[in-house]
Amino acid sequence: MTTTKNATHREPMTESETLREDLEYTRQHLADTVQELTRRLNVPHRMKETASSAGHRMSGAAGQTGQMMKGAAGRTGQMMKQVPSAMQGLPATGKRHPKATAAVGGAVVLGAGAMAWLARRHK
């Protein structure tokens, strides 16, 4: 390796200077490697970091879920207000399609019950 001491004079480095430079580079590289290994082997610290990160993610997800549930409950309330007007035409439809009417009615009751349960659960 024949590098120069000074770029303006272009004097070649002596063998001992080259060895010193290589030694310094090797020391720095070794120090960086030891530091990285120490960080990786510090399991308790890494576990705390991971747990903290997971806790923050869970808090955020819980907040978003709560907001989504409030929005869904509001929309369900609005839809339930429209049910009485839709019920007026139901007798004629029920006579024409009794099985379909029973299936739809069961689904509506099941959905309303599920929403009520979820709303009570998240209060």
Side-chain angles (χ1 to χ4, degrees):
M1 179 184 218
T2 57
T3 57
T4 60
K5 286 188 205 175
N6 188 335
T8 57
H9 293 166
R10 303 272 184 212
E11 296 175 18
M13 292 176 67
T14 64
E15 187 175 337
S16 63
E17 289 173 330
T18 303
L19 289 173
R20 282 190 193 109
E21 189 176 284
D22 287 345
L23 181 62
E24 182 58 35
Y25 173 79
T26 303
R27 282 181 182 163
Q28 184 60 47
H29 184 68
L30 182 60
D32 293 344
T33 302
V34 168
Q35 186 176 12
E36 179 63 19
L37 286 172
T38 302
R39 186 192 69 78
R40 287 185 183 189
L41 292 174
N42 190 351
V43 175
H45 179 71
R46 288 179 57 207
M47 287 178 67
K48 286 178 186 176
E49 286 178 341
T50 302
S52 175
S53 175
H56 290 311
R57 286 193 314 266
M58 289 301 292
S59 294
Q64 289 176 347
T65 302
Q67 291 297 323
M68 288 173 48
M69 292 303 296
K70 286 179 183 177
R75 287 189 301 274
T76 302
Q78 292 171 353
M79 290 172 61
M80 292 303 287
K81 289 177 185 175
Q82 298 171 358
V83 169
S85 63
M87 295 291 286
Q88 290 175 354
L90 201 59
T93 305
K95 289 179 184 176
R96 282 184 278 160
H97 307 286
K99 290 181 183 177
T101 302
V104 169
V108 168
V109 170
L110 182 64
M115 288 305 295
W117 177 76
L118 286 172
R120 277 185 282 147
R121 186 171 178 234
H122 289 286
K123 279 189 177 182

